[in-house]
Every structure is written in structure tokens, then in C-alpha cells.
Amino acid sequence: MLRDNDALLVVDVQRDFLPGGALAVPDGDKVVPVLAACIEAFVRNDCPIFASRDWHPPDHCSFQASGGPWPPHCIADSPGATIAAALHLPANATIIDKGRSVDQEAYSAFEGTALDAHLKDLHTRRLFIGGLATEYCVLNTALDALRLGYEVVVLQDAIRAIDQAGGEQAIEKLQRRHAGFMHSAAVLDRQR
Ligand code: VGL
Ligand code: ZN
């Protein structure tokens, strides 16, 4: 079912967002095997793969010590900022770091990054998105992708929310903006 002009974006599947991490997303680890299987399918179909990382300076404005809402997390080059190894990202995956300026929050992987330029270079039309967390980085990344004119497919079993109700609201908002939702099984079936 994958076709030319499809790309996969794995959002912030980093140790700090997994159980035991500094900003653990409940059941965040459940997305890892699902996304690993999707990555394999995209590799098999020669479709490009992107992975975003939350990549903050130690005194980032989103941290509580600076008046923000979050405990310190995903500090650049720290172990917690590492992408889950079990995703088995291919060596040619493109890593997109965001939230790198001390005074700017960036939930969207498009914000202050070259992601849009990369996707345009590759003639991407349809962007599959999975990762963490549903109501923050997945939501804002998907909304930006829609605004930029991409067809968006959210992998419904490859996302998890920090807050259950917040996650449901995010999904409703994305549906209103005409994001598509697909189970990963649909991506894995019927390889061309
Ligand atoms: C995220 C909270 C703070 C996310 C990043 O990746 O969804 N959430 N920083
Ligand atoms: Zn962050």
C-alpha cells in the first residue's frame, strides 16, 4: 500500500519519553515495536524515513526551573535524548532536531528545522506520522504538515499521550483538519 512520494516521520521516540525516563509517556514503549515494523516496511519499499528528536539546551525555557511546564528532558547529547535503539532506524534515516534554542518551545518537528525542505526535495506528498506524545509533538507536527499541504496519515496504534483526555482531544482536532488515521497493519500488509 506504500507508494512513491510517501515518507515516514517517527516523532520523539527518545528514552526520556519512555517508561523510566524524565518525562515518561504512559505506555510510550508500546509504540516502539509497532514503529520498528513500519520502519522495516518503509525501508523495503525504498520510502524515506525521518526521526525527530526533542533536543534541548540544559536551561531550556520549557523546563520548570525556567518557568516552563516540564521537568528537564531530552537535553542535547544526554542519554535521555537517545532514540530508542529497538526502532532499528536505518543509517540513511534523516534526524531532525528541534527545540534547540533556549528561548523557544518547538513541539512541531517543522518548527525551526529543515524538515519541510527535505520533504520537498524528495517530492513527498503523503507523510505517515507516529511517536510521542500525541497531544504535543505528534499533534503540532501533524497540524504543520497539513498546513504545508501534505497528506497526513497518523498511525493510530503508534502514538501515545501524556494525558488520556488530551490525547483524545488531539485526535479529534486532527480528524477535523482531515488528517487520515491508519492502523500500522494496513502499512505492513500488501507490500508492492
Ligand atoms: C514533548 C513535552 C515536552 C513531545 C516534548 O515530544 O511531545 N512533550 N517536550
Ligand atoms: Zn521538550
Side-chain angles (χ1 to χ4, degrees), residues 11-12 17 23 54 56 62 70 73 98 105 107 132-134 136-138 162:
V11 175
D12 298 7
F17 294 123
L23 181 40
D54 216 26
H56 297 315
S62 77
W70 306 116
H73 63 276
K98 63 183 177 60
E105 180 56 293
Y107 289 136
L132 305 171
T134 305
Y136 294 101
C137 290
V138 171
I162 293 176

Side-chain angles (χ1 to χ4, degrees), residues 87-139:
L87 284 176
H88 300 298
L89 274 183
N92 66 355
T94 304
I95 305 295
I96 302 290
D97 291 336
K98 63 183 177 60
R100 300 169 63 203
S101 311
V102 71
D103 53 356
Q104 233 180 329
E105 180 56 293
Y107 289 136
S108 166
F110 288 96
E111 203 175 326
T113 72
L115 177 57
D116 184 42
H118 282 297
L119 293 172
K120 291 216 158 85
D121 281 346
L122 294 163
H123 307 289
T124 298
R125 284 205 286 264
R126 190 165 64 155
L127 186 61
F128 288 74
I129 300 176
L132 305 171
T134 305
E135 74 274 46
Y136 294 101
C137 290
V138 171
L139 171 66

Side-chain angles (χ1 to χ4, degrees), residues 39-106:
I39 286 166
E40 225 182 272
F42 275 72
V43 168
R44 230 175 9 241
N45 285 273
D46 283 320
C47 292
I49 296 166
F50 292 81
S52 67
R53 296 190 297 199
D54 216 26
W55 200 253
H56 297 315
D59 51 351
H60 191 248
C61 61
S62 77
F63 297 170
Q64 281 148 0
S66 307
W70 306 116
H73 63 276
C74 296
I75 293 170
D77 293 310
S78 71
T82 309
I83 291 179
L87 284 176
H88 300 298
L89 274 183
N92 66 355
T94 304
I95 305 295
I96 302 290
D97 291 336
K98 63 183 177 60
R100 300 169 63 203
S101 311
V102 71
D103 53 356
Q104 233 180 329
E105 180 56 293

